[in-house]
Amino acid sequence: MSERDYAPLSSACVRGLCDKLYEKRKFAGVEIEKMVKDFNDANNTSQIKKLIRVLGQDLMSSTNPNVKNGALMGLSSVAVGLGKGCTAHLSELLHPIAACVSEGESRVRYLAAEALFNVLKIARGAALPHFPLVFDALARLAADPEPQVRQGAELLDRLVKDIVTESGAFDVAAFVPLLRERLYARGACARQFAAAWVSALDALPALPLLPHLRDLLDPMLQMLDEPHPEIRRMCEVQLNEFLRSIKKEPAQVDFQAMINILITHAQSTEELAQLTAITWIKEFVELAGASMLPYASGILCAVLPCLAYSDDARKSIRETAAIVNFQLTKLVGPNTPEPCPPAPADAPLEGDALGDDEPLNKEGQLNLEAVVKVLTQMLHHSSVHTKVAVLDWILHLYNKLPSEMYAQTEAVFGSVVGSLTDAADDVVRRALAVLAEICSCPGDLESSPYYYKFLQALLRLLAADENLLEDRGAFIIRQLCVLLSAEDIYSALSAILVQEKNLRFAATMVDVLSTLLLTAAELYHLRLQLRRMDKPGTAALLRGLYRCWCHSPVSLLALCLLTHHYAHCNRLIHTFGDLEITVDFLTEVDKLVQLIESPIFAYLRLELLGGAQSEALRGALFGLLMLLPQSDAFHALRHRLHCAPQHPYLGREEPTPSAGNEIDLEPLLEEFKRVQAAHRQYKLLERARPHRPDKLHPYT
């Protein structure tokens, strides 16, 4: 190749520049440096450009690594020779050098880092317009597999950070996308390099990162999953610094732009990432207040499952999630902006998407439909703590936004009713509280379309699961009588059971209701009302109970004893001779005798002392005695009757029903006979079946 092909370089200079020995390359570099100074002094820019083109294009196009090394040495020498004048040729100098950082030969990559260092050391702030090119090359060098190349990159990295620090014109907004891309890099070295740059920029007051935190938050939270402990620790420390800055300067923070990112990471399986995200959510809810309400469904999706954690390792996550849950409930109150209208059916829940997606609702508005959807889904969670929190949320919404929640009742109702089968008492108790609120909203029980619907659904559950009826039936009824009117509950259940086609279930249910009526502390006032018959409407209630209690002869007898209808008790007992006297029947009579001997029926035992009805009462008890075999109950009742005076004190007066509360029991006695006849037929049909199921037939 002729000498003019490399002009203004001589062939000897080119050979020295491309020699594999460093000393020969260095000597050629000094020659180039002197040549450039001469050209610069003579203001011969054309020769300078030609020289840069020879080095940056002609020699750099060679596949020989030694030639590329020589070209890099030459470009460094040009920059040294030009001094501050190199700024006019920075693009031609930097591009060929930056291209070499991707070369396959590690020595070339190392010398590229060295050449880049030499050029930038001279150019300083003038190189900032080319910062994307420089940063990309620097990032590649920092992630190089060769330790020697990475060492060279460390020196270059410090220089570039110094240049950025001393510059007053660094464009942070343009740089953040580059930094975000590097934070997503896979390699540990690349991620460590990017994280170090985040820390370096955050330490510069003149270059605030808070306005750009939205772009950095997601990759930094992802880096908390990094296996390398040093990188993970670096990221954790930096995120804590960001959070401190947010708490100091909340006005600079776009909370809405970042909350969806936090919601996503709060559902991470990695403990540190999850705890960090939930901690940030806690601060966001506290600092941003009602502006977080549009994202409530997403936040609940993230925090409610965390309440299930029971291990010590995730104790902090559970406790922080509980705080977030409590903070969010406090935001829903009398001053909550009106919930936004229902979203389209195919619209995503807020909190489901990241990036530039806007929430479906306006500032400060609660997307009630989305919240209810999340809550009903969470009712199927395996954790008792989560389900309790969900039901507390639903009850809270009914209390604070009754009219708005009433429109959501159809979406809530089925899931809450299903919770009555839960194994945990706390879940059942809260589900009943929610259902009671639904039945009371928006008016009284009689006007509520969900009152009878709920009780019918409850009976379907109890009929379908005999174990549920035995284990939970009484508990559920007692809770309902506390939450709602016991009189209304008994009246409504009786009206429904009168129509029941499954007579065996109806009889079992009546026995449960009867036992509760006679024994439960929650039903004391209802017992008193039926005893005295002094409240308007009691007669109608008693008629309804009588018709329902016809399914269970002993329960009906107890009801008439409770309400002082002793003469009618005698008539009932005389019909018992036509019934099938089974072991179950005698067991129920035995239980009734035990009740008569209990404090609940103390008033009845005192009535044996005298009064207009004492003879009728004695007759009823003697009739009961005749039904019993000579068991312990028989002897107890016989002894009680023998203790009563033979000639009662006639001066004792019996309570009489108030005006309007008299009841004609004669037609009801015929109803009892009809129902018992139906029971006999039902039992015959059951016995005719080849395989009688163990469980009760489904409620129809």
Side-chain angles (χ1 to χ4, degrees):
M1 189 174 289
S2 62
E3 184 173 332
R4 65 175 176 274
D5 290 332
Y6 295 101
L9 292 179
S10 65
S11 296
C13 183
V14 171
R15 284 195 299 272
L17 193 63
C18 300
D19 198 281
K20 62 181 179 179
L21 293 176
Y22 174 76
E23 290 301 326
K24 290 186 178 181
R25 291 202 306 276
K26 180 67 174 173
F27 184 81
V30 171
E31 183 179 338
I32 291 173
E33 183 181 333
K34 184 177 181 304
M35 182 189 307
V36 169
K37 285 182 179 178
D38 291 341
F39 288 152
N40 196 37
D41 291 342
N43 201 24
N44 192 346
T45 55
S46 62
Q47 284 295 86
I48 294 173
K49 288 185 177 181
K50 188 175 182 182
L51 175 59
I52 294 174
R53 188 166 56 250
V54 168
L55 294 168
Q57 296 180 18
D58 298 345
L59 293 180
M60 200 65 81
S61 64
S62 173
T63 56
N64 187 333
N66 289 329
V67 176
K68 287 185 180 294
N69 291 341
L72 289 168
M73 173 67 79
L75 290 171
S76 292
S77 299
V78 170
V80 173
L82 287 173
K84 293 299 181 183
C86 74
T87 56
H89 307 279
L90 272 180
S91 180
E92 294 86 350
L93 291 170
L94 291 174
H95 276 85
I97 296 174
C100 288
V101 302
S102 300
E103 286 291 324
E105 176 63 44
S106 62
R107 184 65 182 166
V108 176
R109 300 197 299 273
Y110 176 80
L111 291 176
E114 186 178 79
L116 199 55
F117 179 90
N118 291 332
V119 174
L120 293 177
K121 188 176 181 180
I122 297 168
R124 307 297 292 188
L128 288 178
H130 306 281
F131 190 80
L133 175 70
V134 172
F135 185 76
D136 180 71
L138 177 57
R140 293 174 187 273
L141 292 168
D144 198 277
E146 288 295 324
Q148 187 182 20
V149 178
R150 292 200 300 273
Q151 288 175 4
E154 288 177 9
L155 293 173
L156 177 61
D157 185 52
R158 284 198 290 270
L159 173 63
V160 175
K161 285 175 181 170
D162 288 343
I163 293 172
V164 169
T165 301
E166 68 192 21
S167 170
F170 184 68
D171 190 350
V172 179
F175 173 57
V176 165
L178 304 176
L179 188 54
R180 173 186 170 89
E181 182 183 353
R182 292 299 167 183
L183 286 168
Y184 280 122
R186 292 181 179 272
C189 292
R191 299 181 108 185
Q192 187 172 12
F193 161 79
W197 263 92
V198 174
S199 300
L201 287 181
D202 188 50
L204 300 176
L207 301 174
L209 276 184
L210 276 187
H212 309 284
L213 189 53
R214 170 185 181 174
D215 296 315
L216 304 176
L217 184 58
D218 180 59
M220 292 201 72
L221 285 168
Q222 284 194 25
M223 286 172 69
L224 293 176
D225 294 343
E226 171 63 47
H228 198 290
E230 185 179 343
I231 300 174
R232 195 165 59 246
R233 176 61 181 161
M234 181 189 302
C235 243
E236 182 183 6
V237 169
Q238 184 53 50
L239 284 168
N240 288 337
E241 285 296 325
F242 279 139
L243 192 56
R244 273 193 285 271
S245 299
I246 288 171
K247 291 159 76 172
K248 289 180 181 177
E249 303 174 89
Q252 294 189 25
V253 181
D254 188 350
F255 293 100
Q256 291 87 349
M258 291 186 283
I259 187 64
N260 279 334
I261 299 171
L262 296 173
I263 288 169
T264 298
H265 288 280
Q267 299 171 71
S268 170
T269 56
E270 204 286 322
E271 292 176 18
L272 181 57
Q274 188 177 32
L275 175 60
T276 302
I278 289 181
T279 301
W280 277 56
I281 291 174
K282 176 176 76 70
E283 298 298 340
F284 275 34
V285 173
E286 184 175 330
L287 294 169
S291 65
M292 291 291 99
L293 282 176
Y295 307 90
S297 63
I299 294 173
L300 290 173
C301 226
V303 302
L304 288 176
C306 298
L307 302 178
Y309 297 150
S310 58
D311 55 309
D312 291 339
R314 299 203 176 208
K315 180 181 178 183
S316 296
I317 297 175
R318 181 182 69 247
E319 292 175 348
T320 308
I323 294 172
V324 174
N325 185 54
F326 176 74
Q327 288 174 327
L328 208 55
T329 61
K330 300 298 284 184
L331 294 178
V332 180
N335 297 322
T336 301
E338 183 179 347
C340 59
D346 57 348
L349 292 180
E350 69 271 37
D352 285 355
L354 294 175
D356 297 329
D357 295 340
E358 293 297 328
L360 297 174
N361 28 344
K362 299 176 183 178
E363 175 103 9
Q365 284 186 329
L366 181 71
N367 190 332
L368 192 59
E369 184 181 10
V371 169
V372 167
K373 184 176 180 180
V374 168
L375 293 175
T376 52
Q377 289 171 350
M378 287 289 174
L379 272 179
H380 302 289
H381 199 276
S382 59
S383 165
V384 171
H385 296 291
T386 297
K387 287 183 282 193
V388 165
V390 167
L391 291 166
D392 284 343
W393 253 104
I394 296 173
L395 187 59
H396 181 71
L397 290 171
Y398 270 107
N399 287 332
K400 298 298 182 182
L401 305 169
S403 57
E404 295 87 349
M405 272 301 293
Y406 190 72
Q408 300 292 329
T409 297
E410 200 60 36
V412 171
F413 183 76
S415 297
V416 179
V417 169
S419 298
L420 296 177
T421 63
D422 198 273
D425 284 352
D426 283 347
V427 174
V428 175
R429 192 177 288 110
R430 282 171 168 80
L432 289 169
V434 171
L435 290 165
E437 194 65 34
I438 288 173
C439 293
S440 304
C441 182
D444 55 34
L445 294 178
E446 292 184 1
S447 66
S448 171
Y450 288 98
Y451 184 54
Y452 278 92
K453 184 177 180 180
F454 158 51
L455 294 180
Q456 288 170 335
L458 172 61
L459 291 178
R460 280 197 296 271
L461 287 176
L462 296 175
D465 188 346
E466 188 172 2
N467 292 328
L468 179 66
L469 176 58
E470 292 176 358
D471 298 340
R472 288 296 182 81
F475 172 75
I476 291 173
I477 301 300
R478 287 173 65 175
Q479 290 296 314
L480 283 177
C481 289
V482 171
L483 295 165
L484 298 168
S485 162
E487 179 182 347
D488 290 338
I489 290 292
Y490 267 71
S491 177
L493 286 176
S494 298
I496 296 171
L497 286 170
V498 163
Q499 307 298 324
E500 175 59 56
K501 300 298 189 295
N502 183 342
L503 300 186
R504 188 157 64 91
F505 167 68
T508 305
M509 197 66 213
V510 165
D511 287 339
V512 171
L513 293 170
S514 175
T515 301
L516 287 175
L517 177 61
L518 297 173
T519 62
E522 295 87 348
L523 291 160
Y524 169 77
H525 292 290
L526 183 57
R527 284 197 296 274
L528 202 61
Q529 177 183 340
L530 288 167
R531 274 178 52 193
R532 295 178 176 174
M533 297 291 289
D534 58 352
K535 183 178 178 181
T538 304
L541 171 63
L542 181 56
R543 278 191 294 270
L545 293 179
Y546 191 109
R547 293 186 66 210
C548 179
W549 263 231
C550 285
H551 288 291
S552 175
V554 179
S555 294
L556 182 58
L557 183 61
L559 178 65
C560 291
L561 286 172
L562 175 68
T563 56
H564 307 283
H565 292 95
Y566 304 135
H568 191 74
C569 286
N570 279 299
R571 300 201 62 187
L572 273 177
I573 291 171
H574 281 293
T575 68
F576 286 2
D578 297 329
L579 303 179
E580 182 181 5
I581 306 299
T582 63
V583 173
D584 289 342
F585 177 87
L586 293 175
T587 301
E588 292 302 315
V589 175
D590 191 289
K591 290 179 182 177
L592 178 56
V593 171
Q594 293 178 42
L595 277 174
I596 291 172
E597 290 295 315
S598 72
I600 291 174
F601 273 104
Y603 73 91
L604 181 144
R605 299 195 299 272
L606 290 172
E607 289 178 3
L608 287 170
L609 296 176
Q613 294 198 68
S614 60
E615 284 299 327
L617 174 58
R618 289 169 63 87
L621 295 181
F622 270 110
L624 201 58
L625 189 66
M626 293 304 105
L627 289 173
L628 285 168
Q630 294 191 27
S631 59
D632 291 343
F634 173 87
H635 292 297
L637 183 56
R638 178 172 175 268
H639 183 70
R640 174 67 65 184
L641 287 169
H642 283 173
C643 291
Q646 293 296 318
H647 303 287
Y649 304 109
L650 298 178
R652 181 178 173 85
E653 295 184 0
E654 297 294 332
T656 56
S658 301
N661 272 337
E662 297 86 355
I663 179 169
D664 183 5
L665 295 175
E666 194 62 32
L668 295 177
L669 183 61
E670 296 304 315
E671 173 79 0
F672 170 73
K673 293 176 182 178
R674 184 191 66 76
V675 171
Q676 287 305 307
H679 271 274
R680 284 194 295 273
Q681 186 65 27
Y682 188 85
K683 288 177 182 178
L684 288 173
L685 291 173
E686 277 196 322
R687 289 166 184 163
R689 292 193 182 99
H691 299 290
R692 178 177 171 179
D694 292 333
K695 292 188 177 181
L696 298 175
H697 300 298
Y699 174 79
T700 56

